[in-house]
Amino acid sequence: MRREILTGLFVSAILAFVGGVAIAAQDKFTVQVPGGLSLGECRGYDDWPAVAASLPEEPEVKLNLIVANPTMIAAYRAGIPAEGKHFPDGSRIVKILWVPKNNDVAPFGVKVPDRISSIGCMVKDSSRFADTGGWGYAQFDYDPASDTLVPNTALQGNDAKCGAACHQLAESTDFIFTAYGKR
């Protein structure tokens, strides 16, 4: 009887451990570009204020919401990036992309988010990313089969610098494309 109890406790402990590992592995903030940023560097983005929305038409339509941490929002409100001013270190900005769908309940035609497509984040750290204007970049794609985010290494490569080439076009606005929307 004692052996059965000990065996039951042992099996329960193993199951609890494996379950805990599985849950920990599903934490979206642990995903990281190999040699680059982790989504954990933008932890809390789910609650950050909106900067603006965007609707790029190519290569495919996605509904985008751009949010920023309080440091960056304060900088936007202070007029940055106007007049060549730069965002302070510690600024973080995230772009959440959704595949759109029609809202069948609304009395007019409107697209709303369906499933997440990807999440892009930028982190301002002038010493860490000195050769990319102070910004580090990461792109994470949603994998519906596993219900997880995975690094987009095809786009990203294996470091935090890949977005620098694309963002070079926005050098005059401290490499940020999205202006703070008027409220």
Side-chain angles (χ1 to χ4, degrees):
M1 176 87 163
R2 181 178 167 100
R3 185 174 183 196
E4 290 172 349
I5 292 172
L6 289 176
T7 301
L9 288 173
F10 179 75
V11 169
S12 295
I14 293 296
L15 289 174
F17 174 77
V18 170
V21 169
I23 290 169
Q26 294 171 354
D27 179 1
K28 69 181 175 186
F29 294 110
T30 61
V31 66
Q32 180 172 359
V33 171
L37 296 178
S38 76
L39 190 54
E41 294 189 62
C42 290
R43 183 178 296 276
Y45 75 88
D46 335 52
D47 295 321
W48 292 350
V51 173
S54 65
L55 184 63
E57 297 175 359
E58 296 196 18
E60 59 185 290
V61 175
K62 298 280 177 24
L63 299 175
N64 299 343
L65 176 65
I66 296 89
V67 298
N69 72 345
T71 300
M72 191 157 179
I73 292 293
Y76 268 124
R77 289 177 178 162
I80 294 173
E83 300 170 15
K85 297 177 185 172
H86 294 275
F87 290 97
D89 281 356
S91 293
R92 284 156 170 53
I93 191 164
V94 170
K95 179 170 57 175
I96 308 163
L97 296 84
W98 287 279
V99 174
K101 69 176 182 178
N102 290 323
N103 182 332
D104 296 330
V105 181
F108 48 84
V110 62
K111 302 272 189 203
V112 295
D114 184 14
R115 69 168 175 80
I116 194 160
S117 172
S118 60
I119 296 174
C121 69
M122 293 174 59
V123 172
K124 181 74 177 255
D125 185 330
S126 297
S127 59
R128 188 172 162 201
F129 307 115
D131 57 344
T132 57
W135 290 99
Y137 304 84
Q139 183 74 27
F140 304 101
D141 292 339
Y142 177 70
D143 176 30
S146 64
D147 192 29
T148 61
L149 292 167
V150 295
N152 182 331
T153 54
L155 175 67
Q156 176 72 39
N158 288 321
D159 61 33
K161 301 175 184 177
C162 97
C166 295
H167 283 256
Q168 193 64 41
L169 295 170
E171 184 176 12
S172 66
T173 54
D174 196 18
F175 305 97
I176 298 294
F177 289 111
T178 307
Y180 187 66
K182 190 167 180 79
R183 269 89 175 142

